[in-house]
Amino acid sequence: MDVRILNTPEQIAVAAGEIFVRLVKENPKAKLGLATGASPVKMYQYLISQYENGYLDFSEVASYNLDEYCDLPRADKNSYYTFMHENLFSQINIKEEHVHLPNGNAADMDAECRRYDRLLADIGGVDVQLLGIGTNGHIGFNEPADAFTEGTYKVKLTDSTIRSNSIYFDEGKMPHYAVTMGVGTIMTAKKIVLIATGESKADAMRAMIRGEVTPHCPASILQTHPDAVIFMDKAAASKL
Ligand code: F6R
């Protein structure tokens, strides 16, 4: 793992964003694996600024999101589909037909998970996968467990994730299931960029970097990825 400790979330946004900028410059048809949550928002703003100043063109770029809630309409304000459009897609020239998220409302979830994995297999894995990390070491919605997950699947969210994310939902409205790329799917990315900021991520950073590779900290698998870059601020790095 290539661990980079920077002073501020703004510096991280630029440094991580530059990896995406270079990739899209080199390959206008780049396949980007994207994430939701607070961690990537500033980096998305940096990509938008590079698009607005005419430096970046997303017209041939394709995106593949990590995960989506189940049983939440796509147009809901809290769906990851809405999040991605509000925070990135509506502000750049990516084509809607190049945007991919798993469908959390599919009638046949098994078929939907296989469809998403086939999509990713057909492109040979994304060129770069952006990740945040949960305070419990989750990546995507892959929660601590006794075994690493493989392909895309429907997951029951843990109480800790429901508690963290329910701040965005009206009382009792937080979905309890999601569909997520499995750890195996995430590891097919050619490059991985993980962003972690704030003291609440410090334990997870220590377990991910210094701990053993274990499904009890799903992010620890990144120790075995050939090209994983970890960006964190001083607060997230405070327990390394
Ligand atoms: C988001 C995702 C999650 C988040 C993680 C951190 O698509 O898959 O794993 O990256 O929960 O969330 P934030 O960035 O809000 O702290």
Side-chain angles (χ1 to χ4, degrees):
M1 280 194 273
D2 173 358
V3 177
R4 303 189 196 169
I5 301 168
L6 301 181
N7 284 325
T8 64
E10 288 71 23
Q11 288 172 352
I12 292 175
V14 174
E18 271 303 312
I19 292 177
F20 285 75
V21 168
R22 275 198 302 276
L23 184 69
V24 173
K25 277 302 213 190
E26 278 166 29
N27 175 12
K29 294 189 172 184
K31 316 288 186 212
L32 308 182
L34 300 179
T36 61
S39 304
V41 169
K42 285 193 167 67
M43 194 200 94
Y44 291 156
Q45 287 164 359
Y46 181 71
L47 295 184
I48 292 164
S49 72
Q50 295 297 297
Y51 166 70
E52 285 175 342
N53 69 21
Y55 188 67
L56 269 193
D57 175 16
F58 289 90
S59 60
E60 298 303 323
V61 166
S63 70
Y64 300 82
N65 261 80
L66 274 175
D67 44 17
E68 177 59 284
Y69 288 116
C70 288
D71 312 315
L72 189 69
R74 199 169 83 156
D76 189 278
K77 69 175 170 51
N78 284 311
S79 77
Y80 287 171
Y81 177 88
T82 300
F83 178 99
M84 288 308 303
H85 283 76
E86 282 179 353
N87 285 285
L88 183 63
F89 299 153
S90 68
Q91 297 174 69
I92 59 175
N93 65 336
I94 193 167
K95 293 191 177 118
E96 183 62 27
E97 64 266 31
H98 293 171
V99 163
H100 306 280
L101 288 97
N103 176 8
N105 294 299
D108 182 343
M109 279 309 293
D110 280 346
E112 172 58 11
C113 293
R114 299 293 71 79
R115 178 194 72 84
Y116 206 60
D117 276 339
R118 247 191 336 269
L119 201 64
L120 291 158
D122 285 350
I123 60 165
V126 294
D127 294 311
V128 59
Q129 177 65 56
L130 181 62
L131 296 175
I133 183 170
T135 53
N136 63 1
H138 76 213
I139 47 175
F141 273 124
N142 296 283
E143 305 285 6
D146 289 338
F148 284 114
T149 56
E150 299 285 339
T152 301
Y153 67 108
K154 179 174 177 174
V155 59
K156 184 167 176 23
L157 302 178
T158 60
D159 290 346
S160 117
T161 297
I162 291 172
R163 258 197 315 278
S164 312
N165 291 12
S166 59
I167 51 167
Y168 301 110
F169 289 85
D170 292 338
E171 180 84 33
K173 292 280 193 286
M174 159 93 198
H176 287 197
Y177 287 87
V179 53
T180 182
M181 285 186 200
V183 170
T185 325
I186 292 171
M187 290 293 281
T188 66
K190 297 180 184 82
K191 185 179 189 79
I192 290 186
V193 171
L194 184 144
I195 295 178
T197 59
E199 214 186 324
S200 68
K201 301 289 169 73
D203 286 326
M205 285 296 98
R206 184 177 170 77
M208 177 181 80
I209 293 167
R210 302 257 182 259
E212 56 171 335
V213 176
T214 164
H216 295 287
C217 175
S220 64
I221 192 85
L222 301 180
Q223 290 178 27
T224 69
H225 192 282
D227 188 5
V229 188
I230 315 296
F231 288 98
M232 69 186 97
D233 64 0
K234 293 229 161 99
S238 60
K239 294 188 177 167
L240 286 185

